[in-house]
């Protein structure tokens, strides 16, 4: 399970640059190889207390035709809590030889109140 303790937005939603298609002075946004959707990213902080500080912040890629809008900030909290739907996690070995994970999602939204179920869960 990804983010079992929740996560919080700590950055802006930004387009991901296609380094192969972009040229000096011309920005081209990346598209997902399978769906063709534009790729956006947002930095989030994992609320898992067992993680080391360097492991807490990760980038989540969002596949969406338009720039996603983060949920509204919650009063009394320094960071905005967020949940993601339609998540895929892909492991790979980075250039340093370490196992890392790419997180891609389809939707970003405010967390559901505890105890609430979705219509899909109710139908099951």
């Amino acid at each position: 399970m990804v983010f079992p303790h929740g996560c919080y937005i700590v950055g802006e939603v930004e387009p991901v640059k296609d380094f192969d298609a972009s040229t000096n002075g011309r920005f081209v946004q990346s598209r997902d190889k399978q769906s063709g959707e534009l790729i956006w990213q947002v930095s989030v902080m994992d609320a898992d207390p067992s993680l080391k500080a360097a492991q807490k912040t990760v980038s989540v890629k969002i596949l969406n035709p338009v720039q996603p809008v983060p949920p509204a900030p919650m009063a009394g909290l320094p960071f905005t809590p967020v949940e993601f739907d339609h998540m895929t996690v892909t492991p790979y070995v980075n250039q340093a030889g370490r196992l890392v994970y790419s997180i891609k999602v389809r939707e970003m939204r405010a967390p559901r109140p505890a105890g609430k179920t979705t219509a899909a869960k109710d139908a099951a």
Side-chain angles (χ1 to χ4, degrees):
M1 190 164 160
V2 180
F3 308 126
H5 298 278
C7 67
Y8 299 86
I9 295 174
V10 294
E12 301 294 323
V13 176
E14 300 174 330
V16 174
K17 183 177 184 176
D18 182 334
F19 288 96
D20 293 330
S22 295
T23 58
N24 202 9
R26 182 175 162 258
F27 177 87
V28 177
Q29 188 170 355
S30 286
R31 291 188 175 270
D32 182 64
K33 291 175 185 170
Q34 283 80 31
S35 69
E37 293 276 6
L38 292 172
I39 304 175
W40 308 86
Q41 69 183 9
V42 64
S43 291
V44 298
M45 183 187 317
D46 191 331
D48 185 343
S50 68
L51 292 177
K52 295 178 182 177
Q55 298 171 315
K56 285 193 170 284
T57 303
V58 297
S59 180
V60 174
K61 291 184 172 54
I62 306 166
L63 308 182
N64 206 300
V66 296
Q67 185 170 3
V69 177
M74 295 181 75
L77 293 179
F79 302 109
T80 303
V82 65
E83 287 184 356
F84 299 104
D85 289 322
H86 309 285
M87 183 180 293
T88 60
V89 179
T90 305
Y92 67 96
V93 177
N94 68 10
Q95 292 177 342
R98 293 181 182 231
L99 178 64
V100 293
Y101 299 92
S102 171
I103 301 171
K104 289 184 184 177
V105 302
R106 290 272 180 189
E107 296 175 29
M108 171 176 61
R109 61 176 168 73
R112 292 184 183 107
K116 295 282 183 178
T117 59
T118 64
K121 288 182 182 175
D122 291 341

